[in-house]
Amino acid sequence: MNDVLKPLYDAILNGQQKEAVAGVQAALDGGVDPIIVLNEGMIAAMKQVGKLFEEGEYFVPEMLIAARAMQSGLALLKPRLVQSDYKPVGKIVVGTVKGDLHDIGKNLVAMMLEGAAFEIIDLGVDVSPEKFVDAVKMHQPQLLGMSALLTTTMPSMKVTIDALTSAGLRQKVKVIVGGAPVTEAYANLIGADGFAPDASRAASLAKSLAG
Ligand code: B12
């Protein structure tokens, strides 16, 4: 890892908010590409947090403070990732599915889509199939993006797709899905239109489907 990124990585791993912000600033000042700052300094640290949780070294409070440090750092990085000074190319409704409170990945996808000139309607976390359906009815977006981070909440994506079909809306909107446990195969299985493993590929996918 780039030496400039190490303090940022450590700050997120240890849940130190101020240090995370300072770490992002130092990396940007040092001329590191914002995408590298994000992937190698920040997302890599969150992955390690997940690993430590799995190994029983970290518990929920540690995950939570790491997430807060990540979000503070992201606020500073956002203007460098997003340059949305052009007209929207399409509209997307995004949300984390029912029962799931993880929103860092969903927020990053929303950020990158904003950068790709999409208008974002963010329903937040713990979004029920009914809420997704209502939002599609109301906003008539080209795309719907669902995020799930838990194996136990992934099935809610299929329930939502089925609910769109029952409401007669499935042909009117392209559905894209993602989140750490979600795969291309799962996306195909549940009848989604697309899957992307990270936020930048989510933006290219969205552009190709909306076009
Ligand atoms: C931070 C965190 C939390 C925080 C979340 C804070 C927040 N505001 O988001 C808190 C502390 C709340 C939390 C709680 C829990 N968590 Co948690 N958490 C994590 C952790 C460490 C990081 C997640 C993260 O932010 N990653 C960084 C982002 C950038 O990555 P990402 O979300 O995958 O998103 C990227 C891609 O997937 C993709 N993407 C994401 N969404 C979408 C959507 C679309 C449309 C597309 C195209 C792409 C896309 O693009 C993103 C950007 O590149 C993960 C570990 C891990 N490896 O994922 C565990 C993890 C997800 N949590 C886990 C667990 C078990 C829990 C709890 C059940 C713990 C508990 N006992 O209470 C609770 C559940 C709470 C709930 N109901 O949701 C497990 C899940 C295991 C499983 N197989 O289901 C994990 C994997 C940890 C582990 N290794 O065991 N957690």
Side-chain angles (χ1 to χ4, degrees):
M1 183 195 312
N2 189 323
D3 277 354
V4 183
L5 293 175
K6 181 80 170 90
L8 170 60
Y9 178 94
D10 288 341
I12 290 178
L13 195 57
N14 299 319
Q16 297 163 303
Q17 238 169 317
K18 268 195 218 146
E19 286 78 357
V21 173
V24 170
Q25 191 64 58
L28 292 175
D29 290 347
V32 184
D33 184 312
I35 296 283
I36 305 265
V37 177
L38 175 66
N39 289 335
E40 294 180 17
M42 305 175 85
I43 293 184
M46 288 310 285
K47 278 201 183 131
Q48 180 61 12
V49 171
K51 190 162 171 270
L52 292 173
F53 177 77
E54 232 168 85
E55 290 166 356
E57 275 211 40
Y58 269 20
F59 297 94
V60 172
E62 284 87 359
M63 281 207 287
L64 200 54
I65 58 166
R68 281 198 198 133
M70 169 103 180
Q71 272 158 343
S72 304
L74 275 179
L76 181 61
L77 195 62
K78 183 177 172 183
R80 300 293 296 273
L81 292 172
V82 178
Q83 300 144 345
S84 56
D85 46 13
Y86 32 94
K87 275 200 173 162
V89 296
K91 214 190 275 181
I92 179 164
V93 166
V94 295
T96 301
V97 300
K98 190 174 174 188
D100 202 320
L101 304 176
H102 296 84
D103 66 356
I104 297 177
K106 184 263 296 165
N107 293 344
L108 268 172
V109 168
M111 250 183 229
M112 290 295 192
L113 288 168
E114 199 181 323
F118 276 88
E119 181 187 343
I120 315 292
I121 294 133
D122 188 345
L123 305 180
V125 297
D126 191 19
V127 182
S128 66
E130 299 75 37
K131 245 181 144 177
F132 277 121
V133 168
D134 287 348
V136 169
K137 256 187 219 152
M138 191 196 300
H139 300 286
Q140 305 185 337
Q142 285 86 351
L143 294 164
L144 169 65
M146 288 186 275
S147 180
L149 264 286
L150 299 170
T151 43
T152 49
T153 58
M154 282 163 66
S156 189
M157 293 174 157
K158 162 110 172 71
V159 178
T160 304
I161 292 176
D162 291 347
L164 286 170
T165 307
S166 305
L169 295 167
R170 184 65 188 94
Q171 301 308 320
K172 301 201 165 119
V173 66
K174 300 267 196 250
V175 178
I176 63 172
V177 294
V182 180
T183 59
E184 181 97 57
Y186 186 74
N188 290 335
L189 184 75
I190 64 173
D193 297 298
F195 157 82
D198 59 49
S200 36
R201 275 176 276 186
S204 342
L205 172 70
K207 275 194 271 184
S208 69
L209 287 173

